[in-house]
Structures are given as structure tokens and as C-alpha cells.
Amino acid sequence: MNLRRLVFFGALLGLWEAAARAGFWPPYIFPSFSSVSRTLLAGLWDGSIVLGVVVSLRRILLAYSFSAVVGTILGLALGRIKALEDTVGSLALGLQTLPSICWLPLALLWFGLSEQAILFVTVMGAVLSITIATEAGVRSLPPIYLRAGRTMGARGLALYRDVILPAAFPYMVSGLKQGWSFAWRSLMAGELLYVNLGLGQLLMMGRELNDMGQVVAVMLVIIGIGVVVDRGIFARIEQRIRSKWGLLA
Amino acid sequence: MVERRRPVKLVLRNVSKAFAGRNGSVTALEDVSLEVRQGEFVCLVGPSGCGKSTLLNLIAGLERPSRGEILMDGRPVTGPAPERMVLFQESALFPWLNVVHNVEFGLKQKGVPARVRREIALYYLEMVHLRKFAGAYVHELSGGMKQRVALARALAADPDVLLMDEPFAALDAQTRDILHAELQEIWAATRKTVVFITHNVREAVCLGDRVVVLTYRPGRVKAHCEVALPRPRQIEDEGLLAVVAEVTASLRGEVMKALNEELNERVEGHEPAKAGVLRRAVGALGSGR
Ligand SMILES: Nc1ncnc2c1ncn2[C@@H]1O[C@H](COP(=O)(O)OP(=O)(O)OP(=O)(O)O)[C@@H](O)[C@H]1O
Ligand SMILES: [Mg+2]
């Protein structure tokens, strides 16, 4: 974290605290930073926020890993088989334009008010981005890598594992990242709308109890998770690939 | 020569290859017959577009001939195999692997255990003088280093035949000279059968036991020139000149044909400026310069 950023966020929090204390708005409209922090700590202490985090993370991990596997396999198939590209490929492109939370009513009819429904919506958020990016990666694969791999004896599954997949990986990472953020958004939206437990539900509970402190505290937690995954995981993977492949500016 | 007594390694019998293109089919190769003996270093020269790369891909098994057959050790070639390794014009190293993992790739596919594989890879990296760079990534290497790694990668798979498609064309003259020396040394040590493609007649005569001249489209074998000069040779050796002249004379007609054809296409395609340049070039070549 550089100094400029530190000063900026310090000032922002100070301003927030000062504005809240000035008393223009009542605390249930505009809570102070200190009261939000207290709620956050209390929520962590009594376990309610921890439980929400655990439940939401469990859901996203399940849905996301499923999406990663299915999306990768689908993308490889679409990229390698012309007949699939023209058919399933354009279907995927079309469905991709649909915000995945729009699948919720359908999921509710199919699965009822259940865990499966929310997982379905989350999967629909991630799987198409991953599929499409993988397909693009396979399609842009220089044929010379395939030729080199085949002359060195890579065939069948080994050709996919050792040549096609690693060659497509830089493309896939952008799809995996986008898939993650779509999935995370869909999950939060789904939890807000109905599901029990999870961060989204904590947000709604805060609203129902008129507890603005809780609302803002949970929002901060959601932002925190997003930043950790984005900076801590995806940015690192991208950085590693760039230095390996020599794609640094 | 010694090679006469060696068994025949590769046989191409009446090989033709046509590609279906947008405006009809292109016959890249027609009726090519060629024998390469075990341990022989054969260079193929021919004008651009005459089908040299196609011929190499056919031998590699990456493409199938339209007619004719290709035999290795008497058995038909039906697909790519590590007994015939290809060195492509661009190194075709894998950017997601570091140098030593690139060299190990073929061994890994064969299921060679990790420790043995590493040992073999380092041995061949030593042979091309790049052991120090075992941990480097591909983008950290110069063009010449890449081609040396590609050579080590091909050798590590212990092929019988090395197929080289203008591997040094993109390198500067000094680097190329060094690689010529290294390649001859390695060839003398390993006694692989080599089929080497080049535009450069001097390079062909410097490296080859025999230089095969191909005609312009469709590619056919026009001439064989034996090079019975002592090794190791260098590209500026005076002794090469007589053979170079012989090969060049045989090649000149084909290059003229290629240029004339392109010239006609340019005139038809209304590119008079480029056609003018080409016409002068053809004129200069025709007058024997
Ligand atoms: N996959 C393909 N599809 C269609 N035509 C092809 C294909 N590969 C090669 N050709 C055609 O076959 C002919 C020979 O091509 P090839 O690449 O073998 O030439 P080359 O002798 O290697 O040329 P250069 O010296 O420029 O590398 C060319 O006319 C080319 O257009
Ligand atoms: Mg070529």
C-alpha cells in the first residue's frame, strides 16, 4: 500500500466520521465510522458476520469451482469442434447477455426456495464467461504449438493438458476473473432477494431492523472479500503469467 | 562416399500434395521421389513457395500426401512421432514453460521419470551451451538462443531424423555461423539423419552431404549436387564456391520462373510500381548478373 493511498483513505474515513458527528443526519440514516466499526467488531465477536461470510463463501466456492470445471471443458470443446462453435457457441454468446440474476425466477420454479436455486444462479453468472474466454483462447492458439506438441508425442488428453490448456490460459484467466465477479454479484443479489443465511441476508436484516450500522458494516465486508480475491488472487495470477510469457509492458 | 554404404532411412516415392484453396486447388508438390540414407545430411533448396515446408511436414507426418508414399525404415509414415523431430522456422518453444521444461517436454510425454528427464535435458542444454539458462523463460532468450533450445529439445527426444525448416533464417550472420559450427559438431557426434531446408545456397553447401534443388510450383526434384568436401566447413570456405555455383545455376531458372509468375500477377493486379522493380530483378538475374 503506498503512502498516497493511505493518506487518501485516512482522510476519507476522517471526513466520514466528522460528517456523522456534525449531526446533520440522524445515525439511522448516516451512521458514523466509529459506530459501524463497533457493529462490525460485535458482529465478528458474536459470530453473526462470521457465519454470514462462511455461508456465502461456501456457496461461491461450490458454484465457482463447478463453473470453472464445466466452463473449461465446454470452452475447449467449443474451440476445437467447428460444429459446436456455430451452434452451442452462439447460444452461449446470447445467454451471456442475460444478467444472471434474471435466472432466479426460473430457478425458484425449478428448485423451489432452496440452496440449489441460489447455486444455479451463481453458476449461470460464472460459467458462460469462463466458457467464452476458454474458447477464445483455444481459437487463438498458434497452430505451430500444436504441431510441435504432436511431433513430441503429445496426443489425446495429454495434448489438451500439456499444450492447448496452458497455451489458452492467459485468455482463460480474464474469463475466470470476470466469471468470479459475475458469480459474486449474482450470489449477493440472490441472497438479498430471499435466501436464509449469508451476507446478502445480513444486509436485508439490517434494513428490516433499521440498523444502518449493520448495513454498512456488511457492505464493507463484501467489499473486503471482493478486494482480497481480486488483488490477492487474480492480480497475482495475471502478474505471474505476464512475467512468465514476457508480456510486461 | 561413406553414405553410399549406409542403409536407406527415408524414402519418398512419387509424392504429390495438393491443397484445396479458395480459387481452385494448388499443387504444392508433384511426383517428388527422394532417398535419404541413415546419418546423411541432406539440404533442400528451392524458390519461396515451391513446397519445401510442405515436404517437411509430410515427412514429419503432420500432413498426408495426396498421392505417393513416404517410408521410414521401410514402414509407411502415418502420423507425427518423436522419431522424426521438427525444428520450425520460429522456434515454437512453449512460452508457459521454462527452458529446461521445454527440453523435457518430449521425454515427459514418453513417461520418462522426472529425475532422468532432468538429467537428459541438462545434458543436451550443455551440448548447445545453454545449461546456465535452464531456469530462464523463453522470452528472456535471444533468437539464436531460442533456436539452440529448440535444437536441444529436438535432440532430447532422441529422434532418428531431424527435420529442420530454415531454422537459422531469422538470425544475424554471426549467430548463424556459430550455429552452423555447433550443428555440424552435434551432427558428427550424434549421427542423426538430417533434412535441412534453406533459401541460402551457401548454407546448404556448407552443411549438406548433398543438396537437392526443387523446382518452382509444383515442386519437383530438379537436381542433386553431392558435396564431397572435408568437414567441418565454414560458410566462407573457398572450396564451397564451385558447388555453390553449380547449385545456383540450377536454381536460377526456378527463381526466374517464380519471379516471372509473380510479375504477371502484379501486372494483372495493376501494381505497376512493384512490377517494375520485379522486372528489373528478373532482367538482372537472366543476364547472369
Ligand atoms: N495449408 C495450406 N493450405 C493451402 N495452401 C497451402 C498450405 N500450405 C502451403 N500451401 C501452398 O503450397 C505452396 C508451398 O508452400 P510451402 O509453405 O511449402 O512453401 P515453401 O517452399 O516452404 O516457401 P518458403 O520458402 O517461403 O517458406 C504455396 O503455394 C502455398 O501457398
Ligand atoms: Mg517454408
Side-chain angles (χ1 to χ4, degrees):
Chain A
M1 191 88 94
N2 64 29
L3 189 66
R4 199 184 303 163
R5 215 181 294 162
L6 211 68
V7 170
F8 170 73
F9 282 107
L12 197 66
L13 292 181
L15 214 64
W16 174 7
E17 186 68 26
R21 285 189 184 214
F24 300 125
W25 306 281
Y28 59 86
I29 300 280
F30 193 81
S32 69
F33 171 60
S34 51
S35 78
V36 168
S37 313
R38 268 194 305 280
T39 315
L40 186 57
L41 286 177
L44 291 174
W45 184 247
D46 70 16
S48 60
I49 286 184
V50 177
L51 182 67
V53 168
V54 168
V55 168
S56 291
L57 282 184
R58 217 191 68 117
R59 283 184 183 134
I60 190 114
L61 281 180
L62 254 171
Y64 185 71
S65 42
F66 180 79
S67 307
V69 172
V70 172
T72 303
I73 292 172
L74 215 61
L76 288 175
L78 290 183
R80 295 283 289 169
I81 305 168
K82 184 76 186 143
L84 284 182
E85 184 210 354
D86 297 339
T87 53
V88 184
S90 36
L91 177 69
L93 276 174
L95 290 180
Q96 164 76 347
T97 62
L98 183 70
S100 66
I101 193 64
C102 299
W103 288 99
L104 186 64
L106 187 142
L108 290 177
L109 289 173
W110 278 358
F111 301 107
L113 271 168
S114 66
E115 193 72 15
Q116 281 101 303
I118 190 88
L119 291 177
F120 178 79
V121 170
T122 313
V123 165
M124 289 317 287
V127 75
L128 294 173
S129 303
I130 300 172
T131 303
I132 290 166
T134 307
E135 183 195 350
V138 173
R139 213 156 278 294
S140 62
L141 178 97
I144 196 157
Y145 291 154
L146 278 182
R147 293 176 161 229
R150 285 170 63 211
T151 53
M152 285 187 287
R155 51 175 59 86
L157 270 185
L159 194 65
Y160 280 89
R161 188 194 58 212
D162 294 339
V163 180
I164 297 174
L165 213 53
F169 196 59
Y171 283 81
M172 286 176 61
V173 171
S174 67
L176 286 166
K177 186 171 158 179
Q178 192 189 44
W180 154 268
S181 74
F182 283 177
W184 184 236
R185 275 148 232 239
S186 318
L187 177 65
M188 288 303 110
E191 287 183 349
L192 270 179
L193 284 175
Y194 83 96
V195 151
N196 56 355
L197 300 176
L199 288 168
Q201 198 234 5
L202 282 180
L203 267 183
M204 277 320 261
M205 214 162 74
R207 195 206 67 144
E208 274 150 24
L209 299 175
N210 262 332
D211 183 351
M212 195 54 136
Q214 171 163 344
V215 169
V216 177
V218 174
M219 283 169 70
L220 288 179
V221 170
I222 295 173
I223 292 174
I225 292 174
V227 169
V228 165
V229 172
D230 233 45
R231 300 275 100 212
I233 300 177
F234 286 108
R236 275 187 202 187
I237 295 176
E238 280 173 334
Q239 175 62 31
R240 244 184 86 93
I241 288 181
R242 258 187 255 128
S243 74
K244 228 185 203 190
W245 287 61
L247 302 172
L248 288 170
Chain B
M1 281 182 77
V2 192
E3 277 69 26
R4 285 274 166 267
R5 274 176 269 121
R6 290 174 187 276
V8 175
K9 191 78 194 171
L10 284 171
V11 178
L12 282 76
R13 207 172 281 149
N14 308 106
V15 170
S16 300
K17 177 73 183 175
F19 291 105
R22 239 170 277 146
N23 14 352
S25 84
V26 180
T27 308
L29 295 167
E30 194 166 88
D31 223 10
V32 173
S33 295
L34 188 68
E35 282 190 359
V36 181
R37 288 175 180 276
Q38 187 170 330
E40 195 180 9
F41 199 127
V42 173
C43 292
L44 292 175
V45 295
S48 184
C50 78
K52 302 183 296 292
S53 298
T54 305
L55 188 64
L56 209 74
N57 286 332
L58 288 169
I59 301 174
L62 290 165
E63 311 246 20
R64 314 283 306 126
S66 311
R67 265 177 291 121
E69 59 176 351
I70 299 172
L71 306 175
M72 174 164 167
D73 296 324
R75 286 186 305 276
V77 168
T78 55
E83 56 188 20
R84 278 164 281 118
M85 288 297 295
V86 187
L87 249 89
F88 298 93
Q89 183 159 353
E90 324 94 88
S91 65
L93 296 174
F94 297 143
W96 58 90
L97 298 176
N98 67 17
V99 164
V100 72
H101 284 135
N102 261 291
V103 178
E104 284 178 22
F105 188 93
L107 300 163
K108 190 171 167 217
Q109 298 302 324
K110 273 192 207 164
V112 177
R115 192 131 45 80
V116 183
R117 188 159 96 202
R118 176 60 49 94
E119 216 169 278
I120 297 173
L122 290 176
Y123 172 79
Y124 284 104
L125 279 175
E126 180 80 62
M127 192 180 273
V128 297
H129 310 299
L130 283 179
R131 199 189 161 118
K132 272 200 305 232
F133 289 85
Y137 278 98
V138 174
H139 71 94
E140 296 163 336
L141 307 176
S142 69
M145 287 155 86
K146 280 183 199 159
Q147 286 304 34
R148 274 143 80 184
V149 175
L151 181 59
R153 178 169 84 166
L155 291 169
D158 195 24
D160 290 349
V161 178
L162 267 180
L163 305 168
M164 307 178 79
D165 190 356
E166 304 191 40
F168 308 146
L171 306 179
D172 63 87
Q174 288 78 16
T175 310
R176 211 176 49 206
D177 290 351
I178 294 168
L179 283 168
H180 283 160
E182 282 183 15
L183 180 60
Q184 290 186 75
E185 218 172 275
I186 289 168
W187 175 72
T190 59
R191 284 284 150 183
K192 305 281 181 202
T193 308
V194 181
V195 179
F196 188 103
I197 289 177
T198 172
H199 273 111
N200 184 334
V201 176
R202 274 179 165 267
E203 182 174 55
V205 175
C206 170
L207 295 174
D209 293 322
R210 183 156 56 108
V211 179
V212 176
V213 180
L214 294 178
T215 62
Y216 185 62
R217 251 183 333 218
R220 295 195 184 86
V221 175
K222 181 172 188 186
H224 297 259
C225 303
E226 299 283 342
V227 191
L229 299 167
R231 290 181 186 269
R233 307 174 193 146
Q234 271 162 11
I235 204 151
E236 65 272 11
D237 286 350
E238 296 279 319
L240 302 183
L241 290 178
V243 191
V244 169
E246 187 188 342
V247 176
T248 307
S250 167
L251 194 57
R252 179 171 292 137
E254 299 310 318
V255 175
M256 292 231 346
K257 243 198 286 170
L259 285 171
N260 260 320
E261 195 160 300
E262 198 174 335
L263 180 65
N264 290 335
E265 277 166 23
R266 294 258 193 246
V267 174
E268 281 165 25
H270 307 291
E271 282 191 72
K274 283 182 187 162
V277 174
L278 275 170
R279 196 172 285 129
R280 276 195 295 283
V282 174
L285 268 168
S287 66
R289 212 178 340 172

